[in-house]
C-alpha cells in the first residue's frame, strides 16, 4: 500500500505526503540508515523523539545476520528491532556489487561467498523480493546493478553503462513479477540507472515508468563520482519522473546536497553521513561543520549548535563532547549521532515548512549563507 | 553538607535518607560508576529515568582528562557532564595504587608518571582534596592507600597491612585538615582499611571515628581476595561503624553481595560490574544471569527479564540483543548497560521497600531462591 499526495510545488521542489502500511511520511524526508536493524548508536525512542518518520534497513546485511529464520519468527523487521513507523529496505544489489572480486554477476543474478561464513550464495531479483517480503518493509526496492563510476581507474564507458542499465531494467521486470507473485502488501520502487549519461538515464526512466510502479528512485549516484557529476544527474533525472509519485535519491548526501536535491524535485533521501561522521567527531551545524577533535573546543562551554534543540545541545557543551571523544567514551558517538541526525531531520522539517509557506527559494538562500558563515 | 536520617532498622540492615548539597538519596543505594564523567554507554537522562540517585566520578581519571582547567571552567563535574543529582568522587588512591611499578608511595604521597602523557605527578592527601574541591562532588573520599590482598603471589602479612592502614590513618587526618582549609562545602568520608585482619579493621575504624567525619567507607575489599574473605570483612566492619552515619562499602559487587551487604549494615554501594558485564553480554536478571552470546538466544523472542520494566526489556527481545552483540553494534552495549543498571537500581528499590515494610529477611530469602532458579 502506498498513496502519495502532492500538497504543494515550488518550481521543481515539492511538498508531499506518503501513506504507507506503517504510517504517514511527510516529504521531503530524510531517512536514517539502520543497516543491521539498528541506526548505529541511537535508541529507537531517540529516533522517534527527533521526528524520524521512516528508517532504512539493508536487505543484504539482514539476510546474513540475523538471517531469515529469525526475521520470519518476528514477522519482519519492525517487531524485531522495536520500530513501529515505516521502513524502507534496499535490494541488496549495492552490497553484492561492493563485494568486488568476491562476486560474479550474470543475467540470472549475483553469485558470491558470504562475507560472514563463506557460504556460497546466489542473489537474484526473485530472492531479493523474497527476503524483502520476509522483512515486511513498507517500501521495497527492485533488485538492480549499481553501475560503477570507475573500476580501478577505468571510467565506465557509455556502452558499459548501457549494458548495466539494461540488465537493471530486465531485473526490474523480474522484481515486479516476483513481488506480485508473493502478494507482498507493501510498495515496490523502481531504480533509474544509466551512469553519468543523461540519454541512458532517460531511457531507463522511460522503461520504468511503463511498469507503473508506485515510486521511483535514482540510483548509481554517490558511487565515487566527482560532486559536479552527481549534481548534473541530480539536476537531470528527478524532475522527469512522474509528478504524482514519490522520488527517492539514493545515498545522498551532505546538507547542501539535500537542499539542492529538493530544489531538483527529490522527495526522499537516505545517507549514512550523519551517523558515520558523528562517530568520527564531524558534526553538522546550522553555521557549518564542526570537528570535535580540534583542540580549540577543549574549554568551549557553548553547545555544538546554539540553535539546535537536540538532546546533546540542550544538555552538554562542545568541551564535554571533545572530552568524551578524547577518552574514547561511547557516550561521545551516541550524543554526536543524535545531534547529527537531529540536524538532518530538522533541516528537512525547515524545508517542508518553507515549502508549506511558499518561501523555499528564500530558505535555500538563507541556508547557504548560514552554512557558509562557519561555526 | 550532609545529614543522614536513619528511618528503620532490621537487625543490622538499615533504611535511611541522605541529604546532600545536590539532593536527597534514599538508602540503601547503588551508585553507578561514571569514571570519566560518563556512566559508560548511558545517557544522563536514562540514568535519571531508571532512578539513579547518585553517581560516581573518578578523581584520578578526571584529573588526567579533561583536567582541572576544564573542570574549573564548568564550576565542577555536575555542569560539565549534565548531571544535576548528587555525586561522589573517590580520592584517586585506588587508581595510583593500580599503576603498580609505575608509582612510588612515600609518607608524603604517591609519585607517578601520567599514563596519558608521561608527566611526572605527585598525588597527596592535600592534592586529592584540592582536586575533589574543584570537582565539587557532594561526597569526597579521603586519600588512602588501598592495601593489596597479594602482590605477585605474596599474601599481605599482618605487619604489612598494619603499616598500610596506619599510613591511610595519617592521610585521613591530612585529608580532613586540607578539606577544612579549603572550606569545601561538601561531605568528607573516611575509609577503613586493615586488609583481611579484623583487629586492624577495628583499630582503623576506632581512629577514624575519633575524627568524627560525616560518613565512613570500608575500603580494601574487592581487590582480588577470595569471596569468603570479602564476606568475612563485610560481616565484621560495617555494623561496627557509627549507627547515625552513612556506611559505604567500596567497589562491591554482585547482586548477591549487595543484598548480603545490606544485611551486614551497609548503606551505599558502587561497582563497575553492571556496566562492564553489560558490554561483555553478561546480563543480570531476577532469575539468574544470562549470557547473551549463547546461541540458544538466537531465536528467543522473550525479553531478557520478563519482570523488568527497563527500556530494553519493554521494547526488544533476547534474540535482538544477541543479534546486536554478534554484529558488534553499539546499541547492544547501550541496551545491555541500561538493563543491568536498571536491574541493580530496581533491586535496591525492592530492598528499600522490604525494609520500609519490615520484611527484609523474607525478601532476602526470596531473592536468593529467585536468583538460583536460573533463566
Amino acid at each position: 500500500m502506498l498513496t502519495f499526495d502532492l500538497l504543494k510545488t515550488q518550481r521543481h521542489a515539492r511538498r508531499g505526503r506518503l501513506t504507507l502500511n506503517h504510517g504517514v511520511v511527510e516529504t521531503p524526508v530524510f531517512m536514517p540508515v539502520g543497516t543491521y536493524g539498528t541506526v548505529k548508536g541511537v535508541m529507537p525512542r531517540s529516533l522517534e523523539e527527533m521526528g524520524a518518520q521512516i528508517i532504512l534497513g539493508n536487505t543484504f546485511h539482514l539476510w546474513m545476520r540475523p538471517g531469515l529464520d529469525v526475521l520470519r519468527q518476528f514477522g519482519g523487521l519492525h517487531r524485531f528491532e522495536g520500530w513501529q513507523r515505516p521502513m524502507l529496505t534496499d535490494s541488496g544489489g549495492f552490497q553484492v556489487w561492493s563485494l568486488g572480486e568476491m562476486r560474479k554477476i550474470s543475467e540470472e543474478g549475483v553469485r558470491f561467498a558470504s562475507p560472514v561464513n563463506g557460504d556460497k550464495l546466489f542473489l537474484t531479483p526473485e530472492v531479493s523480493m523474497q527476503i524483502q517480503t520476509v522483512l515486511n518493509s513498507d517500501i521495497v526496492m527492485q533488485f538492480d546493478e549499481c553501475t560503477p563510476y570507475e573500476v580501478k581507474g577505468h571510467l565506465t564507458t557509455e556502452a558499459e553503462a548501457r549494458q548495466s542499465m539494461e540488465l537493471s531494467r530486465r531485473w526490474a521486470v523480474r522484481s515486479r513479477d516476483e513481488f506480485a507473485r508473493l502478494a507482498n502488501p507493501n510498495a515496490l520502487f523502481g531504480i533509474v540507472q544509466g551512469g553519468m549519461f543523461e540519454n541512458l538515464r532517460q531511457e531507463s526512466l522511460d522503461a520504468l515508468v511503463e511498469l507503473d510502479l508506485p515510486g521511483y528512485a535514482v540510483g548509481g549516484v554517490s558511487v565515487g563520482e566527482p560532486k559536479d557529476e552527481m549534481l548534473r544527474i541530480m539536476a537531470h533525472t528527478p524532475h522527469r519522473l512522474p509528478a504524482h509519485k514519490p522520488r527517492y535519491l539514493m545515498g545522498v548526501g551532505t546538507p547542501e546536497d539535500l537542499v539542492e536535491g529538493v530544489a531538483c524535485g527529490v522527495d526522499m533521501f537516505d545517507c549514512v553521513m550523519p551517523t558515520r561522521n558523528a562517530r568520527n567527531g564531524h558534526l553538522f551545524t546550522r553555521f557549518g561543520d564542526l570537528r570535535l577533535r580540534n583542540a580549540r573546543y577543549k574549554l568551549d562551554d557553548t553547545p555544538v549548535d546554539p540553535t539546535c534543540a537536540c538532546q546533546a545541545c540542550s544538555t552538554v557543551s562542545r568541551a564535554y563532547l571533545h572530552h568524551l571523544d578524547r577518552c574514547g567514551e561511547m557516550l561521545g558517538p551516541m550524543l554526536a549521532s543524535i545531534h547529527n541526525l537531529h540536524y538532518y531531520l530538522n533541516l528537512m522539517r525547515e524545508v517542508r515548512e518553507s515549502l508549506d509557506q511558499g518561501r523555499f527559494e528564500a530558505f535555500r538562500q538563507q541556508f547557504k549563507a548560514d552554512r557558509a558563515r562557519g561555526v
Side-chain angles (χ1 to χ4, degrees), chain A residues 58-114:
Chain A
N58 284 122
T59 290
F60 176 82
H61 290 87
L62 293 162
W63 185 28
M64 300 292 110
R65 291 183 297 196
L68 296 188
D69 52 344
V70 175
L71 290 161
R72 219 174 259 123
Q73 159 127 351
F74 282 83
L77 197 49
H78 280 87
R79 191 163 78 82
F80 182 61
E81 68 179 88
W83 177 255
Q84 318 299 332
R85 299 182 185 176
M87 235 182 253
L88 179 151
T89 47
D90 64 3
S91 71
F94 183 80
Q95 278 74 25
V96 287
W97 169 75
S98 304
L99 292 174
E101 315 257 302
M102 292 167 60
R103 48 88 179 133
K104 196 167 167 348
I105 302 177
S106 67
E107 180 66 31
E108 181 65 11
V110 187
R111 275 185 206 287
F112 66 100
S114 158

Side-chain angles (χ1 to χ4, degrees), chain A residues 106-224:
Chain A
S106 67
E107 180 66 31
E108 181 65 11
V110 187
R111 275 185 206 287
F112 66 100
S114 158
V116 172
N117 59 18
D119 281 0
K120 285 189 179 144
L121 295 167
F122 193 36
L123 188 56
T124 65
E126 290 76 18
V127 170
S128 174
M129 293 305 110
Q130 288 154 19
I131 300 171
Q132 291 184 78
T133 299
V134 171
L135 296 176
N136 194 28
S137 44
D138 298 76
I139 297 178
V140 168
M141 300 306 297
Q142 75 150 95
F143 191 64
D144 64 339
E145 187 192 44
C146 185
T147 310
Y149 178 70
E150 62 172 354
V151 178
K152 296 178 182 169
H154 164 77
L155 287 195
T156 299
T157 64
E158 183 171 342
E160 289 162 343
R162 168 176 295 282
Q163 205 173 19
S164 171
M165 178 273 282
E166 288 176 350
L167 180 63
S168 287
R169 199 169 69 183
R170 294 189 296 275
W171 285 357
V173 175
R174 284 169 56 191
S175 294
R176 182 203 56 182
D177 292 348
E178 181 68 6
F179 185 87
R181 191 191 68 80
L182 292 162
N184 184 315
N186 298 299
L188 176 66
F189 275 33
I191 304 178
V192 177
Q193 291 287 353
M196 299 297 136
F197 305 94
E198 276 93 343
N199 56 321
L200 298 182
R201 290 279 172 184
Q202 186 67 54
E203 273 191 52
S204 172
L205 187 161
D206 291 339
L208 287 168
V209 168
E210 264 185 45
L211 297 182
D212 193 24
L213 298 170
Y216 293 102
V218 178
V221 292
S222 264
V223 291

